[in-house]
């Protein structure tokens, strides 16, 4: 995050007192991918549970039928397994997979342990990094981030076979240089993990060439996908011949992860429309500007904030601190303290406001930022252990706060991760909302400028769609 200094201002009232391929490289293989012999074709395993893992290339963008390499690979693998299935949380053309268009390495890292626990694959086909390279998102560290992702997979499922593929070429010369650097790092990354005993192999996509095998600057066409299918087939066959593929793989339960709180209407450019924002694990932020709210009406703003050293993505909130209509960048500390950066344009243009709230001792995840009185500035809301709610009014957007005391007694039985503050009725004041276990919503209207006017019950305002993580619900 580019930070310009901000003159230190006095703060009238800080928040005081108890106020968030072709070839596979196993351990000692000396042959290069270009010279390694093709895998034998007479292999057989009892079970193949294959998870194609990656981005839009794995999903199948660029292929005429939308199936990418998956259907051709399935047909090649079918005679070699008594039980063959492709697994994953998404489905296209009858093939389950974990192909997520537009996603980057860190996006997969955020979710892969949950996917593994749900699907129990014994083979993972990993092709990821194209979007990191195309957008130049921390491209120099992309191989290291890929290594972290591979380690997550092998730690969660120690017996799984992971086949890491190189990237297909790119039509842009500058991007291709980054592709070459990324691909050059992969054999060593794989060999390092093989030396530690993990069943991690390398699959070269060197047979896919540009421009003949590409449908556009990024995605293969049908011919390119056929070559990808052959490369992955050879990789699986080699792994099977080497005895890597276990019929059953134990997968450890997915570890708990911080529940993102979500922010009501994150308006990056102040045009009154909510924009689409992705916060990475390290606090880096990417954004897409809403040009109208309809399908495909989004301008890619790229990386708008590089994050803050030492901070993590789950600490990041977006809230309009100064009332100018643009969402500012806020870090919530473990003790509920706030550091903020004013949004001066949304494209790495942020002015440090420093520490704007000293904190109240309330854990960071129990802090909410929402406008209680309709003055357009986000107020500070602290959820107490007994379910009650205390608040501080944002006086000037610079760290001046007035204690409002206890503004709500809370809802019996509601956990803090179920509570939202969002303007349900459009009067400019944040209402009190509880996300029930079935993901339905109950709401109480904010009938006073500071919450002291009472909270008339709206009752059930949304019916829900079954059990699931309430942390995924946005309003």
């Amino acid at each position: 995050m580019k930070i310009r200094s901000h003159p230190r201002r006095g703060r009238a009232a800080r928040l005081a007192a108890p106020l968030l391929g072709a070839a596979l490289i196993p351990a000692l293989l000396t042959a290069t991918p270009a010279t390694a012999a093709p895998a034998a074709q007479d292999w057989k395993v009892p079970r193949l549970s294959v998870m194609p893992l990656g981005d839009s290339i794995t999903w199948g963008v660029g292929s005429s039928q939308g199936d990418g390499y998956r259907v051709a690979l399935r047909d090649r693998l079918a005679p070699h397994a008594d039980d063959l299935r492709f697994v994953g949380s998404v489905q296209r053309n009858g093939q389950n997979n974990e192909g997520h268009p537009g996603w980057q390495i860190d996006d997969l890292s955020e979710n892969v342990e949950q996917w593994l626990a749900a699907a129990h694959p014994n083979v993972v086909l990993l092709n990821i990094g194209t979007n990191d390279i195309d957008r130049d998102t921390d491209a120099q560290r992309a191989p290291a981030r890929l290594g972290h992702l591979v380690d997550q997979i092998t730690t969660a499922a120690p017996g799984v076979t992971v086949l890491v593929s190189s990237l297909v070429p790119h039509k842009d010369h500058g991007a291709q240089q980054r592709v070459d650097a990324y691909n050059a790092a992969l054999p060593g990354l794989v060999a390092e993990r093989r030396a530690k005993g993990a069943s991690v192999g390398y699959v070269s996509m060197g047979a896919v060439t540009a421009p003949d095998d590409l449908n556009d600057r990024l995605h293969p066409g049908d011919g390119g996908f056929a070559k990808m299918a052959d490369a992955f087939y050879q990789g699986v066959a080699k792994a099977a011949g080497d005895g890597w593929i276990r019929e059953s793989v134990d997968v450890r339960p997915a570890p708990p992860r911080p529940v993102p709180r979500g922010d009501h209407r994150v308006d990056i450019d102040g045009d009154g429309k909510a924009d689409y924002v992705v916060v990475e694990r390290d606090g880096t932020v990417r954004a897409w500007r809403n040009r109208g709210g309809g399908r495909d009406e989004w301008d890619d703003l790229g990386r708008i904030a590089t994050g803050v050293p030492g901070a993590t993505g789950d600490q990041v909130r977006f809230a309009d601190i100064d009332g100018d209509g643009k969402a500012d960048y806020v870090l919530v500390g473990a003790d509920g303290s706030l550091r903020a950066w004013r949004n001066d344009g949304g494209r790495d243009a942020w002015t440090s406001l420093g520490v704007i709230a000293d904190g109240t001792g309330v854990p960071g995840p129990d802090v909410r930022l929402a406008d209680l009185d309709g003055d357009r500035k986000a107020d500070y809301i602290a959820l107490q252990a007994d379910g009650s709610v205390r608040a501080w009014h944002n006086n000037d957007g610079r760290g001046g706060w007035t204690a409002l005391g206890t503004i709500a007694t809370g809802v019996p039985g509601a956990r803090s991760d179920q509570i939202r503050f969002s303007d349900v009725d459009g009067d400019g004041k944040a209402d009190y909302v509880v996300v029930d276990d079935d993901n339905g919503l109950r709401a109480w209207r904010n009938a006073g400028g500071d919450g002291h006017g009472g909270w008339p019950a709206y009752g059930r305002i949304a019916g829900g769609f079954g059990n699931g993580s309430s942390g995924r619900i946005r309003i």
Side-chain angles (χ1 to χ4, degrees):
M1 179 178 292
K2 296 178 182 176
I3 298 173
R4 294 192 290 276
S5 62
H6 188 283
R8 186 173 181 84
R9 297 182 174 95
R11 280 172 279 168
R14 280 277 185 92
L15 294 186
L19 209 222
L20 105 216
L24 202 59
I25 301 183
L28 301 176
L29 183 65
T30 57
T32 66
T35 59
Q41 305 301 305
D42 58 354
W43 58 278
K44 186 92 172 189
V45 294
R47 176 176 173 269
L48 273 177
S49 180
V50 180
M51 175 181 283
L53 177 61
D55 49 35
S56 57
I57 292 176
T58 299
W59 173 245
V61 172
S63 59
S64 61
Q65 300 299 315
D67 49 35
Y69 67 78
R70 290 176 285 103
V71 169
L73 177 61
R74 178 202 62 192
D75 293 344
R76 293 284 301 278
L77 293 175
H80 301 280
D82 296 325
D83 179 14
L84 169 65
R85 63 190 68 188
F86 279 32
V87 297
S89 64
V90 295
Q91 187 179 93
R92 196 177 196 201
N93 287 6
Q95 292 292 312
N96 288 77
N97 65 94
E98 292 295 353
H100 298 270
W103 282 33
Q104 301 182 73
I105 296 168
D106 291 349
D107 297 314
L108 298 188
S109 286
E110 289 287 344
N111 296 277
V112 71
E113 288 145 336
Q114 285 74 25
W115 294 334
L116 292 169
H120 283 256
N122 59 3
V123 174
V124 174
L125 307 179
L126 181 58
N127 179 275
I128 190 63
T130 293
N131 292 312
D132 303 72
I133 299 303
D134 180 56
R135 299 169 190 166
D136 199 7
T137 303
D138 194 15
Q140 288 187 331
R141 290 188 60 255
R145 293 187 289 112
L146 177 70
H148 171 72
L149 172 60
V150 173
D151 292 341
Q152 283 182 276
I153 296 170
T154 56
T155 298
V160 75
T161 295
V162 184
L163 301 183
V164 181
S165 85
S166 61
L167 301 183
V168 300
H170 197 295
K171 284 188 177 181
D172 176 79
H173 176 69
Q176 182 57 44
Q177 289 182 315
R178 296 193 294 272
V179 168
D180 291 339
Y182 180 86
N183 285 345
L186 300 192
L189 178 153
V190 166
E192 179 182 350
R193 284 151 181 82
R194 282 290 301 128
K196 295 178 181 178
S199 298
V200 180
Y202 171 72
V203 173
S204 171
M205 293 298 167
V208 181
T209 61
D212 294 345
D213 292 326
L214 297 184
N215 185 59
D216 54 31
R217 65 193 181 91
L218 291 178
H219 304 93
D222 290 342
F225 277 119
K227 293 179 179 180
M228 288 190 71
D230 181 66
F232 272 131
Y233 169 78
Q234 296 294 337
V236 174
K238 182 69 168 64
D242 289 344
W244 287 11
I245 299 177
R246 296 166 174 82
E247 183 173 357
S248 179
V249 172
D250 291 330
V251 181
R252 296 171 180 170
R257 56 183 180 179
V259 177
R261 298 303 166 207
D263 302 292
H264 175 57
R265 210 187 73 167
V266 179
D267 184 356
I268 294 296
D269 57 359
D271 65 354
K273 296 190 288 289
D275 302 305
Y276 188 107
V277 176
V278 174
V279 181
E280 305 286 1
R281 186 185 295 269
D282 63 355
T284 298
V285 179
R286 292 180 287 139
W288 287 258
R289 183 171 66 87
N290 181 354
R291 290 191 289 109
R295 182 177 177 86
D296 292 333
E297 294 183 343
W298 303 90
D299 291 331
D300 187 352
L301 301 179
R303 184 175 59 195
I304 65 170
T306 55
V308 177
T312 58
D314 59 284
Q315 294 178 273
V316 176
R317 305 283 197 282
F318 282 93
D320 188 358
I321 297 296
D322 57 1
D324 67 353
K326 299 192 294 291
D328 304 304
Y329 186 110
V330 183
L331 281 181
V332 184
D335 61 352
S337 60
L338 305 181
R339 283 188 289 160
W341 287 259
R342 189 183 67 216
N343 181 350
D344 288 334
R347 290 181 184 239
D348 261 347
W350 306 88
T351 297
S352 174
L353 301 178
V355 177
I356 64 169
D358 287 331
T360 63
V362 171
D366 291 341
V367 171
R368 303 290 184 271
L369 298 171
D371 182 3
L372 290 171
D373 57 2
D375 67 353
R376 294 174 58 116
K377 297 191 296 291
D379 302 305
Y380 186 111
I381 301 168
L383 307 180
Q384 306 298 303
D386 64 357
S388 62
V389 180
R390 301 176 70 201
W392 286 257
H393 174 255
N394 180 351
N395 294 328
D396 55 13
R398 299 172 183 173
W401 305 89
T402 298
L404 301 176
T406 299
I407 65 168
T409 57
V411 177
R415 305 183 307 273
S416 64
D417 64 290
Q418 295 178 286
I419 297 173
R420 309 284 189 274
F421 281 87
S422 184
D423 184 7
V424 172
D425 56 3
D427 66 354
K429 300 191 295 290
D431 304 302
Y432 186 112
V433 182
V434 172
V435 182
D436 288 325
D437 288 336
D438 66 351
N439 292 316
L441 304 180
R442 288 179 289 156
W444 287 259
R445 182 171 64 87
N446 180 352
D450 58 8
H452 283 298
W455 300 88
Y458 277 126
R460 183 93 157 173
I461 64 171
F465 55 89
N467 295 331
S469 172
S470 64
R472 298 180 180 181
I473 305 300
R474 302 291 182 271
I475 304 171

